[in-house]
Every structure is written in structure tokens, then in C-alpha cells.
Amino acid sequence: SAAEIKEIVALIEEYDIPAIFTEKNGSDATAQAIARETGVEVYQLDMIMSGEGSGIQLYVDAMNGNLDTILEALG
């Protein structure tokens, strides 16, 4: 809602939050609107809901990618 977006914008400004994170394959329209209001960047994280192959390596690779994204956003 508009009130929730206004509250999030206020929190970002109050706490000097440098980034907004969304999940890949989801809508980031709200995050983009908040980014326009605050000037922060939007980054996407992999929720590892699907993918090709099997085994733990897919998870490890996705988590490493997420860590890289978080470090970039907060660095």
C-alpha cells in the first residue's frame, strides 16, 4: 500500500540503508518505486527455487552468487 511504501522510504532515509533486495523471477515494481524515491539501488538475490541439475553444488553456487551481490550492494 502507499502507506507501507511511505514507511519503508522513511526507514531507508532514517537508517541510511544503501540497497533494496528482491528475489529473481519476482516482481520488483514496488522496490523500483522505492528506489526512485530514495536513490538506493535494487539488487536481486537467487531464492534457489528451481534450476537445472541436482545436488548441493547448485545451492552452493547460488549462495556464493548471493554473497557476491550482497557484498557489492553494501560495499
Side-chain angles (χ1 to χ4, degrees):
S1 72
E4 289 172 321
I5 292 173
K6 186 176 178 180
E7 181 180 350
I8 291 168
V9 167
L11 288 170
I12 289 171
E13 292 170 348
E14 179 179 355
Y15 293 103
D16 198 28
I17 296 171
I20 298 171
F21 297 96
T22 63
E23 64 182 74
K24 290 181 181 178
N25 302 323
S27 173
D28 69 348
T30 301
Q32 292 295 340
I34 293 168
R36 284 190 298 276
E37 282 284 318
T38 61
V40 300
E41 298 229 13
V42 177
Y43 294 85
Q44 292 186 330
L45 299 177
D46 190 339
M47 296 295 109
I48 315 164
M49 300 299 286
S50 64
E52 294 181 23
S54 62
I56 191 70
Q57 194 59 49
L58 291 174
Y59 178 81
V60 171
D61 292 345
M63 286 296 97
N64 283 331
N66 285 344
L67 287 172
D68 291 342
T69 299
I70 292 168
L71 290 172
E72 177 186 341
L74 301 179

